[in-house]
Amino acid sequence: MNQGAVLGHEFVGVVEDAGSRSSDSSRGDRVVSSFFTSCGVCTLCRKGWFQPVRGQVDLRPRRVFREPGWCQAEYVVVPLADHSMELIPNGMSDEQAIFVGDILATGFLRRRTGRDQARGRGRVVGAGPVGLMATMAAQALRAVSRVRRRHGRLAARRWPWTSAASQSTPSTFTRSRRSRVRPAGSAPTRASSAWVFFRGRHGDRERPRRRHHLDGRRSERGDR
Amino acid sequence: MVGVPSAVIGDFPYMKMWLKSLTFRAGWCNVQAYMRPLLDLIAAGRLSPRRSSATGLKLDQAEEAYRIFDAREATKIVLTP
């Protein structure tokens, strides 16, 4: 990494100016961006499986985040913006929306890929940011039935990512008799190593419907 | 496997996986496809990612923010201009 390099690849912002070929965004729009750009016209993109444009796949940070990265700055240029950004709904705070562009989507990916889905179970190893997002996504989809910390003491704590609304309703945690974690206590400020087990019918129910139904939405938009 | 591991995966146990017929998959996240449905989930109150992040630091305090992040004292830090 070079001295003076601008870091970061997760951001929200207000559109200052839009290029002539950007039809989806205009000045003043509040947007969140994906951490990579995709062309939107290749075979994979048309199938709804968006991949970084060629040249971005090199895993050196410099290349990966070349566009639209370097975002911890006052201004960022987002290439291929129509396929990289989403409007933030009115009333949603920047802090809520920002993780959609990378780690929340990455956590969500766990629910959509992998053979674990066939059995409706999976495992998150490590409670770092992506691990927390994966657990949150699974919880939002009502897939978590058992959460256990393998190392250290079991912590009964309020899960920091659940909204007040979902905590007031019976969660999967409290419904499960085998659950050893109750939503109580304070939010952790420190990421700790944890093993999170998913088990439940949700994954099984979800699978037969349409495997890539979420992907399809974006695909339709891309074909427009 | 999703996400970029923060620790280097050394000594990848290929032989063990082979003996147990394990499948290992990894890949980029399809962010563009998930952003809209995730924003919908947040708007509906079913997700609240904000809660796992600290905020209040300014862009010119980024160095301090990286120190905090590196020491694992915060899960995520949102910088504001």
Side-chain angles (χ1 to χ4, degrees), chain A residues 7 10 34 36 38 48-50 72 83-84 86-87 96 101 105 109 112 133 140 160-161 163 189 218, chain B residues 2 25 28-32 34-37 39 42 45-52 66 72-73 75-76:
Chain A
L7 303 173
E10 292 177 280
S34 167
F36 65 88
S38 51
W49 193 257
F50 292 89
Q72 282 161 8
H83 293 283
S84 308
E86 285 286 352
L87 269 175
Q96 286 285 49
L109 175 68
R112 299 281 159 199
M133 294 289 163
W161 48 78
S163 67
T189 53
R218 187 74 200 202
Chain B
V2 301
R25 304 196 344 165
W28 281 81
C29 177
N30 193 4
V31 175
Q32 272 80 328
Y34 298 153
M35 283 199 291
R36 178 49 53 188
L39 286 170
I42 294 169
R46 291 177 65 190
L47 285 175
S48 190
R50 175 179 58 193
R51 304 201 171 209
S52 63
Y66 272 97
R72 305 276 166 115
E73 288 166 12
T75 311
K76 275 287 192 179

Side-chain angles (χ1 to χ4, degrees), chain A residues 39-222:
Chain A
C39 66
V41 295
C42 68
T43 312
L44 281 171
C45 283
R46 284 184 173 277
K47 283 181 178 174
W49 193 257
F50 292 89
Q51 293 292 305
V53 294
R54 287 184 71 177
Q56 280 193 294
V57 189
D58 188 337
L59 275 175
R60 284 172 299 177
R62 201 192 156 86
R63 297 292 299 275
V64 174
F65 307 133
R66 185 184 56 188
E67 352 167 58
W70 308 100
C71 73
Q72 282 161 8
E74 284 79 5
Y75 296 94
V76 179
V77 174
V78 181
L80 301 163
D82 284 358
H83 293 283
S84 308
M85 305 197 306
E86 285 286 352
L87 269 175
I88 299 174
N90 287 333
M92 186 183 296
S93 70
D94 292 346
E95 288 83 1
Q96 286 285 49
I98 188 167
F99 298 128
V100 164
D102 182 5
I103 60 168
L104 181 55
T106 300
F108 196 64
L109 175 68
R110 196 210 65 79
R111 297 287 312 146
R112 299 281 159 199
T113 57
R115 295 193 164 191
D116 59 275
Q117 207 176 27
R119 296 193 302 272
R121 61 199 274 195
R123 177 179 289 176
V124 176
V125 181
V130 174
L132 289 173
M133 294 289 163
T135 314
M136 173 172 36
Q139 192 179 39
L141 297 167
R142 301 260 184 256
V144 177
S145 68
R146 199 152 57 108
V147 178
R148 185 164 63 189
R149 287 179 67 176
R150 179 144 175 172
H151 304 290
R153 62 190 168 79
L154 288 166
R157 61 190 187 187
R158 181 193 191 86
W159 294 90
W161 48 78
T162 52
S163 67
S166 71
Q167 289 193 351
S168 64
T169 59
S171 72
T172 327
F173 289 132
T174 51
R175 276 205 304 269
S176 168
R177 289 192 169 209
R178 285 187 302 173
S179 171
R180 299 173 74 175
V181 174
R182 295 286 185 275
S186 60
T189 53
R190 206 181 168 85
S192 55
S193 178
W195 292 62
V196 180
F197 296 87
F198 302 95
R199 189 191 299 276
R201 290 172 303 143
H202 186 85
D204 300 323
R205 271 208 319 270
E206 194 176 39
R207 189 181 165 93
R209 277 189 207 156
R210 224 167 100 191
R211 196 166 177 189
H212 292 299
H213 72 286
L214 287 171
D215 303 351
R217 287 196 197 179
R218 187 74 200 202
S219 177
E220 284 155 21
R221 185 179 171 184

Side-chain angles (χ1 to χ4, degrees), chain B residues 8-79:
Chain B
V8 176
I9 302 180
D11 303 323
F12 191 74
Y14 173 74
M15 279 306 287
K16 278 187 182 174
M17 293 181 67
W18 181 74
L19 286 167
K20 295 178 177 180
S21 292
L22 297 183
T23 303
F24 178 85
R25 304 196 344 165
W28 281 81
C29 177
N30 193 4
V31 175
Q32 272 80 328
Y34 298 153
M35 283 199 291
R36 178 49 53 188
L38 284 171
L39 286 170
D40 292 344
L41 281 171
I42 294 169
R46 291 177 65 190
L47 285 175
S48 190
R50 175 179 58 193
R51 304 201 171 209
S52 63
S53 69
T55 186
L57 285 175
K58 297 285 182 187
L59 205 50
D60 54 15
Q61 296 173 290
E63 207 175 314
E64 170 69 0
Y66 272 97
R67 191 200 60 74
I68 294 170
F69 185 70
D70 190 47
R72 305 276 166 115
E73 288 166 12
T75 311
K76 275 287 192 179
I77 299 169
V78 177
L79 300 172

